[in-house]
Amino acid sequence: MKGQILYLALTLAPLALGAQEEPEVITGKADAGRRLFYSAALGTNGLSCAHCHADFDEGAQDDGLIRAGHSLYGAASRPNWWGRDPSKPDPYPNIGAAAAVCVEHFMRQPDRLNAQQLVDLRAYLRFINRKQQRESLVLSSGADRTGEYLGYDAGNRLRGRELFYATCHSCHPNARSGIGSALPLDREPAFYARKVREGDGLGAQIGGLDPNAYNPASGQFMPFFAVDRLSNDQLSDIIAYIRSIPPPPPPAKGKAAPKKR
Ligand code: HEC
Ligand code: HEC
């Protein structure tokens, strides 16, 4: 009963979700939260929320980029986050708390967010809540249960080039090192497919491959791309492109070898 009233209140007050959540001691500012959303200073590895989540309706305003995470447009009204059941004892109290997981996990910031940052970010995520999402996100990763990742070898490298720049370039600029590591160019298709579906191990864990796959001590942080973010065909195309990139030229005689590609 209480749940129904809450649901009704949420329906009637789209932009004032906070009223039903636990009272805030300090007030959040959406404009400060927006700056946080775009700021790599929040983490320790150069990533910002914007690297992995859109803050607009991707369906209506496709900007061509393919991000690992789903858009957070309207996400504040999801019943809960990270696959948690809101009626079970340990749901996230609000979307800010669910976002802090990414700060710690992907942005490698163990101190997470301070209290002011948390409410500011939450205020922004509520502000971008005009198109409400009434359903929880179904967490899936597309990890191959057999662990073999066969069938990723018939991609089209020309399409793959476009897709690479839309999906991977932000962290692997031109397949070289950036936020992520330099990509090897000559591995089997399964090698790339595994990394993209399993990421830092969280994808393997969520996909039911291995409950212990994600080990925070490994220092890894590549996000997994689920099938509803990047299809198997798209992934095959990207793999074909990476494998078609010519290896870098050997260092010229007499010159110092380039540091790291
Ligand atoms: C390296 C990529 C990455 C970064 C950076 C990142 N996230 Fe995420 N985030 C993900 C992935 C992957 C998921 C899993 C769910 C999905 O597919 O959207 C997720 C899930 C979430 C969820 C739960 C969604 C749900 O409904 O279950 C929230 C909320 C969220 N992120 C907010 C944020 C915010 C805010 C930031 C910045 C402070 C951030 N994330 C930074 C990749 C990232
Ligand atoms: C948000 C940043 C990010 C994005 C986007 C990203 N990667 Fe990564 N990637 C990383 C990081 C960081 C690593 C280093 C290992 C780790 O931390 O998990 C990595 C490692 C890899 C590796 C392993 C390299 C090795 O030598 O073992 C492969 C392969 C890879 N990425 C492929 C891709 C492909 C293909 C895409 C696009 C579909 C992509 N990545 C998108 C961050 C990213």
Side-chain angles (χ1 to χ4, degrees):
M1 188 57 199
K2 201 170 154 222
Q4 274 168 345
I5 294 172
L6 184 69
Y7 181 80
L8 197 69
L10 293 179
T11 333
L12 295 176
L15 295 175
L17 275 173
Q20 287 81 32
E21 294 173 359
E22 82 278 22
E24 279 172 2
V25 186
I26 36 178
T27 324
K29 289 206 171 57
D31 56 346
R34 183 169 198 271
R35 285 193 292 275
L36 288 175
F37 187 89
Y38 284 93
S39 173
L42 213 53
T44 59
N45 54 12
L47 285 177
S48 67
C49 314
H51 279 97
C52 300
H53 298 282
D55 56 357
F56 52 87
D57 183 344
E58 286 177 310
Q61 298 155 293
D62 182 8
D63 68 350
L65 292 183
I66 300 177
R67 300 164 180 85
H70 290 78
S71 175
L72 295 176
Y73 189 75
S77 48
R78 286 177 188 153
N80 213 263
W81 303 273
W82 289 106
R84 296 242 172 119
D85 181 341
S87 64
K88 293 267 162 62
D90 64 341
Y92 286 101
N94 58 62
I95 192 169
V101 176
C102 289
V103 177
E104 185 179 19
H105 185 100
F106 292 120
M107 296 162 75
R108 311 294 312 178
Q109 174 54 272
D111 299 334
R112 295 179 158 214
L113 299 156
N114 68 34
Q116 184 67 53
Q117 289 171 327
L118 195 67
V119 290
D120 287 344
L121 198 55
R122 220 172 115 189
Y124 181 57
L125 295 174
R126 287 203 301 254
F127 176 73
I128 55 166
N129 198 39
R130 291 182 194 88
K131 181 181 169 188
Q132 302 190 27
Q133 301 185 17
R134 294 258 163 256
E135 305 291 326
S136 287
L137 196 63
V138 177
L139 277 191
S140 65
S141 73
D144 180 352
R145 294 283 191 117
T146 68
E148 289 183 34
Y149 293 94
L150 299 177
Y152 288 95
D153 47 6
N156 174 308
R157 72 180 165 82
L158 295 178
R159 279 200 306 263
R161 182 173 186 278
E162 299 283 328
L163 288 163
F164 177 87
Y165 283 100
T167 318
C168 320
H169 177 73
S170 58
C171 293
H172 301 284
N174 299 308
R176 302 199 176 99
S177 68
I179 291 174
S181 49
L183 296 182
L185 307 173
D186 54 359
R187 301 290 299 267
E188 287 309 306
F191 167 79
Y192 303 96
R194 170 176 292 112
K195 186 68 193 177
V196 172
R197 291 292 183 230
E198 300 183 7
D200 56 7
L202 190 64
Q205 197 170 315
I206 287 175
L209 254 178
D210 174 1
N212 304 313
Y214 174 65
N215 168 14
S218 72
Q220 298 207 321
F221 57 82
M222 173 158 153
F224 64 89
F225 286 77
V227 201
D228 64 348
R229 303 300 303 160
L230 188 69
S231 71
N232 284 341
D233 285 346
Q234 289 176 314
L235 179 50
S236 301
D237 291 344
I238 289 178
I239 292 171
Y241 170 64
I242 296 174
R243 284 161 47 86
S244 77
I245 300 174
K253 272 217 176 105
K255 281 198 186 154
K259 265 185 271 159
K260 206 178 158 195
R261 69 162 287 281

